[in-house]
Amino acid sequence: MPHAQTIGEPDDGLSTRQRRLRPILAVNTGEGKGKTTAAMGTALRAWHQGWSVGVFQFIKSGRWHPGEHAALEALGRLHDQTGEGGPVSWETMGTGWSWTRAFSAETDPAEVAREGWRHIRELLAEEALDFYLLDEFCYPLTWGWIDVDEVVATLRDRPGVQHVVITGRNAPQKLVDAADLVTEMTKVKHPFDTGQRGQAGIEW
Amino acid sequence: MPHAQTIGEPDDGLSTRQRRLRPILAVNTGEGKGKTTAAMGTALRAWHQGWSVGVFQFIKSGRWHPGEHAALEALGRLHDQTGEGGPVSWETMGTGWSWTRAFSAETDPAEVAREGWRHIRELLAEEALDFYLLDEFCYPLTWGWIDVDEVVATLRDRPGVQHVVITGRNAPQKLVDAADLVTEMTKVKHPFDTGQRGQAGIEW
């Protein structure tokens, strides 16, 4: 049966309890499916702990993940009504984040992406949330819209115990180096390879 | 931005609508983390569609995934109360499945696993559910507790549109060959490598 294996004890002077409160930076990357879905699964764990969860999707259009959105939104609502689990907030880049009216459909998406990161950086500084899911965040990094060094420095210096999960293909090496946990989803076989179309409930 | 790519149209005589109702057999395998969490994320999509979701965990003890369990159970409860989403059932092998009292802590786990598969085979024949998550199911297959050929034949011949997701390391080649979608989670880096322990809300 599967179980976690630890390779010795780290020599860092921390107690087990302190070690258990280490903020984690996780990256899901690779060509295969499941990067975002796995991150959403991790968000379920965070919700169960009563943590405040924030999802930030760095996509302009297309794969909105309505299934996961609806489910996590329902769980957030359940928290608001009954106190079960934790609060959930969900932001999608689209043509502009909810906290600002500064953008339109014609705004350069690079600018919109940068505003998203600026806002997240602010939240991190304030220790506003317990769990941040930066979905498809690798793209603005790869395309040079957002500076990787600045992101790595911000994440490295973030205060408190704030967990961050970043998803997207081709995660920059510097981000991989800075992360605690990196998983690569490799596509072995996919129905799209034989020309099949996606289905509701499976692909979204 | 990421988007699905189809390589030509399949020449199978089906309409797009019919092609969109193809039952999917998906396998999440590999050494990395995220196999089960990604499957749980897919279960959120199924729930959103209003499908009946059944989770069957083929683990005797240990990694119960309490976070995902609590979240999906809450979503199932929400369905029962408000009609939102779909119904969710959750079974764990433990020392015996809920539908039978035939087992005790001393029963050979191979026998318990086989009973689990027997029950699922029955559900598939009856078209009882829309979405089946067979978590850690690769282990009883790899260890020879359950016959791979029989599983492949059953899945291949299953009636209706019943989606099945199977997770676990070292998925048998015959299962991979039979599957529509196979993703391999590769571990690039993990905190356990440096002796760090798991945390609630991240690892479970």
Side-chain angles (χ1 to χ4, degrees), chain B residues 60-99:
Chain B
K60 186 170 165 64
S61 63
R63 291 172 54 216
W64 297 113
H65 297 279
E68 292 97 311
H69 187 176
L72 277 160
E73 191 263 337
L75 291 172
R77 229 189 307 131
L78 193 62
H79 168 79
D80 296 342
Q81 290 163 1
T82 70
E84 185 179 356
V88 178
S89 55
W90 189 291
E91 289 281 348
T92 310
M93 194 173 97
T95 53
W97 308 96
S98 75
W99 64 81

mmCIF file of all heavy atoms in Angstrom, chain B residues 60-99:
data_model
loop_
_atom_site.group_PDB
_atom_site.id
_atom_site.type_symbol
_atom_site.label_atom_id
_atom_site.label_comp_id
_atom_site.label_asym_id
_atom_site.label_seq_id
_atom_site.Cartn_x
_atom_site.Cartn_y
_atom_site.Cartn_z
ATOM 1 N N LYS B 60 -6.186 -0.164 2.394
ATOM 2 C CA LYS B 60 -6.589 -0.782 3.649
ATOM 3 C C LYS B 60 -6.513 0.224 4.798
ATOM 4 O O LYS B 60 -7.345 0.242 5.670
ATOM 5 C CB LYS B 60 -5.683 -1.985 3.934
ATOM 6 C CG LYS B 60 -6.109 -2.786 5.144
ATOM 7 C CD LYS B 60 -5.317 -4.086 5.223
ATOM 8 C CE LYS B 60 -5.454 -4.728 6.598
ATOM 9 N NZ LYS B 60 -6.849 -5.128 6.876
ATOM 10 N N SER B 61 -5.489 1.045 4.767
ATOM 11 C CA SER B 61 -5.318 2.029 5.839
ATOM 12 C C SER B 61 -4.402 3.116 5.316
ATOM 13 O O SER B 61 -3.930 3.061 4.191
ATOM 14 C CB SER B 61 -4.691 1.373 7.070
ATOM 15 O OG SER B 61 -3.393 0.914 6.737
ATOM 16 N N GLY B 62 -4.165 4.132 6.136
ATOM 17 C CA GLY B 62 -3.223 5.164 5.724
ATOM 18 C C GLY B 62 -3.883 6.313 5.002
ATOM 19 O O GLY B 62 -4.753 6.976 5.540
ATOM 20 N N ARG B 63 -3.480 6.537 3.779
ATOM 21 C CA ARG B 63 -3.866 7.749 3.073
ATOM 22 C C ARG B 63 -5.345 7.803 2.723
ATOM 23 O O ARG B 63 -5.756 7.508 1.621
ATOM 24 C CB ARG B 63 -3.010 7.923 1.836
ATOM 25 C CG ARG B 63 -1.571 8.241 2.161
ATOM 26 C CD ARG B 63 -0.711 8.209 0.911
ATOM 27 N NE ARG B 63 -1.254 9.086 -0.119
ATOM 28 C CZ ARG B 63 -1.207 8.815 -1.422
ATOM 29 N NH1 ARG B 63 -0.643 7.714 -1.856
ATOM 30 N NH2 ARG B 63 -1.719 9.634 -2.302
ATOM 31 N N TRP B 64 -6.159 8.203 3.688
ATOM 32 C CA TRP B 64 -7.601 8.263 3.498
ATOM 33 C C TRP B 64 -8.067 9.454 2.682
ATOM 34 O O TRP B 64 -9.224 9.528 2.318
ATOM 35 C CB TRP B 64 -8.281 8.357 4.872
ATOM 36 C CG TRP B 64 -8.050 7.171 5.731
ATOM 37 C CD1 TRP B 64 -7.345 7.126 6.890
ATOM 38 C CD2 TRP B 64 -8.536 5.833 5.523
ATOM 39 N NE1 TRP B 64 -7.370 5.851 7.410
ATOM 40 C CE2 TRP B 64 -8.088 5.045 6.604
ATOM 41 C CE3 TRP B 64 -9.314 5.237 4.525
ATOM 42 C CZ2 TRP B 64 -8.384 3.686 6.710
ATOM 43 C CZ3 TRP B 64 -9.600 3.887 4.645
ATOM 44 C CH2 TRP B 64 -9.140 3.133 5.720
ATOM 45 N N HIS B 65 -7.212 10.416 2.462
ATOM 46 C CA HIS B 65 -7.644 11.614 1.753
ATOM 47 C C HIS B 65 -8.847 12.271 2.442
ATOM 48 O O HIS B 65 -9.883 12.489 1.813
ATOM 49 C CB HIS B 65 -8.007 11.285 0.292
ATOM 50 C CG HIS B 65 -6.847 10.773 -0.479
ATOM 51 N ND1 HIS B 65 -5.892 11.594 -1.033
ATOM 52 C CD2 HIS B 65 -6.480 9.506 -0.785
ATOM 53 C CE1 HIS B 65 -4.986 10.849 -1.648
ATOM 54 N NE2 HIS B 65 -5.317 9.590 -1.514
ATOM 55 N N PRO B 66 -8.734 12.571 3.741
ATOM 56 C CA PRO B 66 -9.878 13.150 4.455
ATOM 57 C C PRO B 66 -10.339 14.481 3.875
ATOM 58 O O PRO B 66 -11.527 14.783 3.935
ATOM 59 C CB PRO B 66 -9.361 13.322 5.891
ATOM 60 C CG PRO B 66 -7.874 13.335 5.779
ATOM 61 C CD PRO B 66 -7.544 12.450 4.620
ATOM 62 N N GLY B 67 -9.421 15.271 3.331
ATOM 63 C CA GLY B 67 -9.817 16.561 2.762
ATOM 64 C C GLY B 67 -10.757 16.404 1.591
ATOM 65 O O GLY B 67 -11.852 16.987 1.554
ATOM 66 N N GLU B 68 -10.356 15.602 0.620
ATOM 67 C CA GLU B 68 -11.212 15.390 -0.553
ATOM 68 C C GLU B 68 -12.507 14.688 -0.149
ATOM 69 O O GLU B 68 -13.574 14.970 -0.694
ATOM 70 C CB GLU B 68 -10.493 14.536 -1.601
ATOM 71 C CG GLU B 68 -9.321 15.231 -2.259
ATOM 72 C CD GLU B 68 -8.004 14.849 -1.623
ATOM 73 O OE1 GLU B 68 -7.897 14.896 -0.380
ATOM 74 O OE2 GLU B 68 -7.088 14.499 -2.378
ATOM 75 N N HIS B 69 -12.391 13.771 0.799
ATOM 76 C CA HIS B 69 -13.569 13.043 1.268
ATOM 77 C C HIS B 69 -14.586 14.015 1.848
ATOM 78 O O HIS B 69 -15.760 14.016 1.468
ATOM 79 C CB HIS B 69 -13.154 12.007 2.319
ATOM 80 C CG HIS B 69 -14.264 11.091 2.734
ATOM 81 N ND1 HIS B 69 -14.074 10.040 3.609
ATOM 82 C CD2 HIS B 69 -15.569 11.050 2.404
ATOM 83 C CE1 HIS B 69 -15.221 9.408 3.800
ATOM 84 N NE2 HIS B 69 -16.139 9.996 3.082
ATOM 85 N N ALA B 70 -14.111 14.882 2.748
ATOM 86 C CA ALA B 70 -15.023 15.845 3.378
ATOM 87 C C ALA B 70 -15.650 16.768 2.346
ATOM 88 O O ALA B 70 -16.850 17.050 2.387
ATOM 89 C CB ALA B 70 -14.268 16.655 4.424
ATOM 90 N N ALA B 71 -14.850 17.227 1.407
ATOM 91 C CA ALA B 71 -15.356 18.161 0.400
ATOM 92 C C ALA B 71 -16.387 17.486 -0.511
ATOM 93 O O ALA B 71 -17.470 18.030 -0.752
ATOM 94 C CB ALA B 71 -14.196 18.717 -0.420
ATOM 95 N N LEU B 72 -16.071 16.305 -1.010
ATOM 96 C CA LEU B 72 -17.013 15.634 -1.904
ATOM 97 C C LEU B 72 -18.257 15.187 -1.161
ATOM 98 O O LEU B 72 -19.365 15.212 -1.708
ATOM 99 C CB LEU B 72 -16.329 14.458 -2.614
ATOM 100 C CG LEU B 72 -15.548 14.916 -3.848
ATOM 101 C CD1 LEU B 72 -14.504 13.885 -4.260
ATOM 102 C CD2 LEU B 72 -16.484 15.178 -5.016
ATOM 103 N N GLU B 73 -18.093 14.805 0.097
ATOM 104 C CA GLU B 73 -19.241 14.425 0.908
ATOM 105 C C GLU B 73 -20.147 15.639 1.124
ATOM 106 O O GLU B 73 -21.378 15.539 1.056
ATOM 107 C CB GLU B 73 -18.736 13.864 2.237
ATOM 108 C CG GLU B 73 -19.783 13.181 3.084
ATOM 109 C CD GLU B 73 -20.349 14.117 4.157
ATOM 110 O OE1 GLU B 73 -19.679 15.100 4.526
ATOM 111 O OE2 GLU B 73 -21.486 13.865 4.596
ATOM 112 N N ALA B 74 -19.526 16.819 1.328
ATOM 113 C CA ALA B 74 -20.303 18.045 1.491
ATOM 114 C C ALA B 74 -21.067 18.371 0.212
ATOM 115 O O ALA B 74 -22.226 18.802 0.250
ATOM 116 C CB ALA B 74 -19.386 19.204 1.884
ATOM 117 N N LEU B 75 -20.425 18.164 -0.926
ATOM 118 C CA LEU B 75 -21.080 18.426 -2.209
ATOM 119 C C LEU B 75 -22.229 17.445 -2.439
ATOM 120 O O LEU B 75 -23.282 17.822 -2.971
ATOM 121 C CB LEU B 75 -20.060 18.330 -3.349
ATOM 122 C CG LEU B 75 -19.009 19.446 -3.371
ATOM 123 C CD1 LEU B 75 -17.937 19.141 -4.418
ATOM 124 C CD2 LEU B 75 -19.639 20.796 -3.636
ATOM 125 N N GLY B 76 -22.036 16.201 -2.018
ATOM 126 C CA GLY B 76 -23.101 15.210 -2.159
ATOM 127 C C GLY B 76 -24.286 15.573 -1.279
ATOM 128 O O GLY B 76 -25.450 15.466 -1.683
ATOM 129 N N ARG B 77 -23.981 16.048 -0.089
ATOM 130 C CA ARG B 77 -25.017 16.480 0.856
ATOM 131 C C ARG B 77 -25.773 17.663 0.282
ATOM 132 O O ARG B 77 -27.000 17.755 0.361
ATOM 133 C CB ARG B 77 -24.342 16.892 2.161
ATOM 134 C CG ARG B 77 -24.963 16.283 3.409
ATOM 135 C CD ARG B 77 -24.388 16.901 4.659
ATOM 136 N NE ARG B 77 -22.947 16.869 4.712
ATOM 137 C CZ ARG B 77 -22.178 17.928 5.005
ATOM 138 N NH1 ARG B 77 -22.710 19.106 5.252
ATOM 139 N NH2 ARG B 77 -20.866 17.817 5.034
ATOM 140 N N LEU B 78 -25.043 18.583 -0.341
ATOM 141 C CA LEU B 78 -25.655 19.758 -0.954
ATOM 142 C C LEU B 78 -26.645 19.314 -2.026
ATOM 143 O O LEU B 78 -27.747 19.861 -2.153
ATOM 144 C CB LEU B 78 -24.554 20.630 -1.560
ATOM 145 C CG LEU B 78 -24.926 22.048 -1.973
ATOM 146 C CD1 LEU B 78 -25.367 22.846 -0.754
ATOM 147 C CD2 LEU B 78 -23.732 22.724 -2.632
ATOM 148 N N HIS B 79 -26.258 18.294 -2.788
ATOM 149 C CA HIS B 79 -27.163 17.771 -3.803
ATOM 150 C C HIS B 79 -28.433 17.224 -3.161
ATOM 151 O O HIS B 79 -29.539 17.507 -3.613
ATOM 152 C CB HIS B 79 -26.503 16.667 -4.615
ATOM 153 C CG HIS B 79 -27.478 15.921 -5.470
ATOM 154 N ND1 HIS B 79 -27.949 16.415 -6.675
ATOM 155 C CD2 HIS B 79 -28.138 14.757 -5.268
ATOM 156 C CE1 HIS B 79 -28.835 15.575 -7.180
ATOM 157 N NE2 HIS B 79 -28.960 14.552 -6.355
ATOM 158 N N ASP B 80 -28.260 16.430 -2.105
ATOM 159 C CA ASP B 80 -29.410 15.814 -1.451
ATOM 160 C C ASP B 80 -30.354 16.881 -0.891
ATOM 161 O O ASP B 80 -31.572 16.714 -0.912
ATOM 162 C CB ASP B 80 -28.946 14.906 -0.295
ATOM 163 C CG ASP B 80 -28.119 13.725 -0.804
ATOM 164 O OD1 ASP B 80 -28.189 13.408 -2.012
ATOM 165 O OD2 ASP B 80 -27.398 13.110 0.013
ATOM 166 N N GLN B 81 -29.786 17.985 -0.435
ATOM 167 C CA GLN B 81 -30.612 19.023 0.180
ATOM 168 C C GLN B 81 -31.214 20.004 -0.808
ATOM 169 O O GLN B 81 -32.341 20.453 -0.654
ATOM 170 C CB GLN B 81 -29.775 19.818 1.203
ATOM 171 C CG GLN B 81 -29.412 19.021 2.439
ATOM 172 C CD GLN B 81 -28.259 19.657 3.220
ATOM 173 O OE1 GLN B 81 -27.740 20.706 2.835
ATOM 174 N NE2 GLN B 81 -27.856 19.015 4.304
ATOM 175 N N THR B 82 -30.449 20.342 -1.842
ATOM 176 C CA THR B 82 -30.895 21.404 -2.743
ATOM 177 C C THR B 82 -31.059 20.989 -4.197
ATOM 178 O O THR B 82 -31.563 21.748 -5.010
ATOM 179 C CB THR B 82 -29.900 22.576 -2.733
ATOM 180 O OG1 THR B 82 -28.687 22.146 -3.381
ATOM 181 C CG2 THR B 82 -29.572 23.011 -1.312
ATOM 182 N N GLY B 83 -30.552 19.796 -4.540
ATOM 183 C CA GLY B 83 -30.622 19.375 -5.929
ATOM 184 C C GLY B 83 -29.476 19.889 -6.782
ATOM 185 O O GLY B 83 -29.355 19.541 -7.960
ATOM 186 N N GLU B 84 -28.608 20.716 -6.198
ATOM 187 C CA GLU B 84 -27.474 21.230 -6.956
ATOM 188 C C GLU B 84 -26.446 20.122 -7.184
ATOM 189 O O GLU B 84 -26.206 19.294 -6.286
ATOM 190 C CB GLU B 84 -26.822 22.386 -6.175
ATOM 191 C CG GLU B 84 -25.697 23.068 -6.938
ATOM 192 C CD GLU B 84 -25.077 24.220 -6.164
ATOM 193 O OE1 GLU B 84 -25.577 24.534 -5.064
ATOM 194 O OE2 GLU B 84 -24.077 24.783 -6.666
ATOM 195 N N GLY B 85 -25.869 20.085 -8.394
ATOM 196 C CA GLY B 85 -24.872 19.066 -8.692
ATOM 197 C C GLY B 85 -25.467 17.669 -8.657
ATOM 198 O O GLY B 85 -26.659 17.487 -8.900
ATOM 199 N N GLY B 86 -24.637 16.659 -8.401
ATOM 200 C CA GLY B 86 -25.110 15.279 -8.399
ATOM 201 C C GLY B 86 -24.832 14.572 -7.083
ATOM 202 O O GLY B 86 -24.145 15.101 -6.221
ATOM 203 N N PRO B 87 -25.373 13.352 -6.924
ATOM 204 C CA PRO B 87 -25.154 12.595 -5.691
ATOM 205 C C PRO B 87 -23.742 12.008 -5.646
ATOM 206 O O PRO B 87 -23.159 11.705 -6.681
ATOM 207 C CB PRO B 87 -26.205 11.476 -5.760
ATOM 208 C CG PRO B 87 -26.519 11.328 -7.211
ATOM 209 C CD PRO B 87 -26.248 12.645 -7.871
ATOM 210 N N VAL B 88 -23.218 11.857 -4.451
ATOM 211 C CA VAL B 88 -21.870 11.331 -4.266
ATOM 212 C C VAL B 88 -21.887 10.203 -3.248
ATOM 213 O O VAL B 88 -22.461 10.345 -2.180
ATOM 214 C CB VAL B 88 -20.913 12.440 -3.754
ATOM 215 C CG1 VAL B 88 -19.514 11.874 -3.516
ATOM 216 C CG2 VAL B 88 -20.864 13.609 -4.737
ATOM 217 N N SER B 89 -21.276 9.085 -3.597
ATOM 218 C CA SER B 89 -21.100 8.012 -2.615
ATOM 219 C C SER B 89 -19.609 7.726 -2.495
ATOM 220 O O SER B 89 -18.860 7.883 -3.454
ATOM 221 C CB SER B 89 -21.866 6.751 -3.030
ATOM 222 O OG SER B 89 -21.484 6.339 -4.323
ATOM 223 N N TRP B 90 -19.190 7.323 -1.319
ATOM 224 C CA TRP B 90 -17.764 7.141 -1.030
ATOM 225 C C TRP B 90 -17.567 5.858 -0.252
ATOM 226 O O TRP B 90 -18.148 5.675 0.811
ATOM 227 C CB TRP B 90 -17.262 8.338 -0.217
ATOM 228 C CG TRP B 90 -15.792 8.407 -0.032
ATOM 229 C CD1 TRP B 90 -15.013 7.564 0.716
ATOM 230 C CD2 TRP B 90 -14.895 9.385 -0.575
ATOM 231 N NE1 TRP B 90 -13.699 7.946 0.665
ATOM 232 C CE2 TRP B 90 -13.593 9.061 -0.118
ATOM 233 C CE3 TRP B 90 -15.065 10.500 -1.400
ATOM 234 C CZ2 TRP B 90 -12.472 9.826 -0.472
ATOM 235 C CZ3 TRP B 90 -13.957 11.255 -1.736
ATOM 236 C CH2 TRP B 90 -12.668 10.925 -1.279
ATOM 237 N N GLU B 91 -16.757 4.952 -0.772
ATOM 238 C CA GLU B 91 -16.474 3.677 -0.119
ATOM 239 C C GLU B 91 -14.969 3.490 0.044
ATOM 240 O O GLU B 91 -14.202 3.741 -0.885
ATOM 241 C CB GLU B 91 -17.012 2.521 -0.984
ATOM 242 C CG GLU B 91 -18.516 2.402 -1.028
ATOM 243 C CD GLU B 91 -19.085 1.738 0.224
ATOM 244 O OE1 GLU B 91 -18.299 1.173 1.025
ATOM 245 O OE2 GLU B 91 -20.316 1.802 0.398
ATOM 246 N N THR B 92 -14.567 3.022 1.228
ATOM 247 C CA THR B 92 -13.150 2.733 1.456
ATOM 248 C C THR B 92 -13.009 1.282 1.868
ATOM 249 O O THR B 92 -13.799 0.790 2.679
ATOM 250 C CB THR B 92 -12.589 3.630 2.575
ATOM 251 O OG1 THR B 92 -12.938 4.978 2.289
ATOM 252 C CG2 THR B 92 -11.077 3.521 2.628
ATOM 253 N N MET B 93 -12.030 0.608 1.304
ATOM 254 C CA MET B 93 -11.849 -0.818 1.576
ATOM 255 C C MET B 93 -11.682 -1.076 3.068
ATOM 256 O O MET B 93 -12.405 -1.878 3.640
ATOM 257 C CB MET B 93 -10.630 -1.327 0.795
ATOM 258 C CG MET B 93 -10.543 -2.824 0.737
ATOM 259 S SD MET B 93 -9.209 -3.370 -0.374
ATOM 260 C CE MET B 93 -7.880 -3.656 0.812
ATOM 261 N N GLY B 94 -10.740 -0.373 3.682
ATOM 262 C CA GLY B 94 -10.507 -0.553 5.109
ATOM 263 C C GLY B 94 -10.487 -2.024 5.477
ATOM 264 O O GLY B 94 -9.745 -2.807 4.892
ATOM 265 N N THR B 95 -11.321 -2.405 6.414
ATOM 266 C CA THR B 95 -11.416 -3.830 6.751
ATOM 267 C C THR B 95 -12.713 -4.417 6.211
ATOM 268 O O THR B 95 -13.113 -5.507 6.585
ATOM 269 C CB THR B 95 -11.384 -4.043 8.278
ATOM 270 O OG1 THR B 95 -12.394 -3.210 8.857
ATOM 271 C CG2 THR B 95 -10.020 -3.702 8.844
ATOM 272 N N GLY B 96 -13.358 -3.702 5.321
ATOM 273 C CA GLY B 96 -14.591 -4.240 4.758
ATOM 274 C C GLY B 96 -15.450 -3.127 4.196
ATOM 275 O O GLY B 96 -15.593 -2.083 4.807
ATOM 276 N N TRP B 97 -16.014 -3.335 3.053
ATOM 277 C CA TRP B 97 -16.866 -2.341 2.422
ATOM 278 C C TRP B 97 -18.197 -2.220 3.176
ATOM 279 O O TRP B 97 -18.604 -3.131 3.897
ATOM 280 C CB TRP B 97 -17.135 -2.737 0.968
ATOM 281 C CG TRP B 97 -15.902 -3.040 0.172
ATOM 282 C CD1 TRP B 97 -15.367 -4.287 -0.057
ATOM 283 C CD2 TRP B 97 -15.053 -2.108 -0.496
ATOM 284 N NE1 TRP B 97 -14.236 -4.176 -0.831
ATOM 285 C CE2 TRP B 97 -14.018 -2.852 -1.118
ATOM 286 C CE3 TRP B 97 -15.062 -0.718 -0.643
ATOM 287 C CZ2 TRP B 97 -13.001 -2.249 -1.870
ATOM 288 C CZ3 TRP B 97 -14.046 -0.124 -1.390
ATOM 289 C CH2 TRP B 97 -13.042 -0.891 -1.996
ATOM 290 N N SER B 98 -18.901 -1.127 2.949
ATOM 291 C CA SER B 98 -20.124 -0.879 3.724
ATOM 292 C C SER B 98 -21.255 -1.830 3.351
ATOM 293 O O SER B 98 -22.147 -2.081 4.148
ATOM 294 C CB SER B 98 -20.602 0.564 3.516
ATOM 295 O OG SER B 98 -21.206 0.698 2.243
ATOM 296 N N TRP B 99 -21.225 -2.382 2.146
ATOM 297 C CA TRP B 99 -22.359 -3.208 1.717
ATOM 298 C C TRP B 99 -22.272 -4.660 2.179
ATOM 299 O O TRP B 99 -23.156 -5.448 1.911
ATOM 300 C CB TRP B 99 -22.486 -3.175 0.190
ATOM 301 C CG TRP B 99 -21.315 -3.766 -0.534
ATOM 302 C CD1 TRP B 99 -21.064 -5.097 -0.761
ATOM 303 C CD2 TRP B 99 -20.208 -3.052 -1.091
ATOM 304 N NE1 TRP B 99 -19.872 -5.245 -1.427
ATOM 305 C CE2 TRP B 99 -19.316 -4.007 -1.648
ATOM 306 C CE3 TRP B 99 -19.873 -1.700 -1.194
ATOM 307 C CZ2 TRP B 99 -18.132 -3.652 -2.281
ATOM 308 C CZ3 TRP B 99 -18.694 -1.342 -1.829
ATOM 309 C CH2 TRP B 99 -17.839 -2.323 -2.360
#
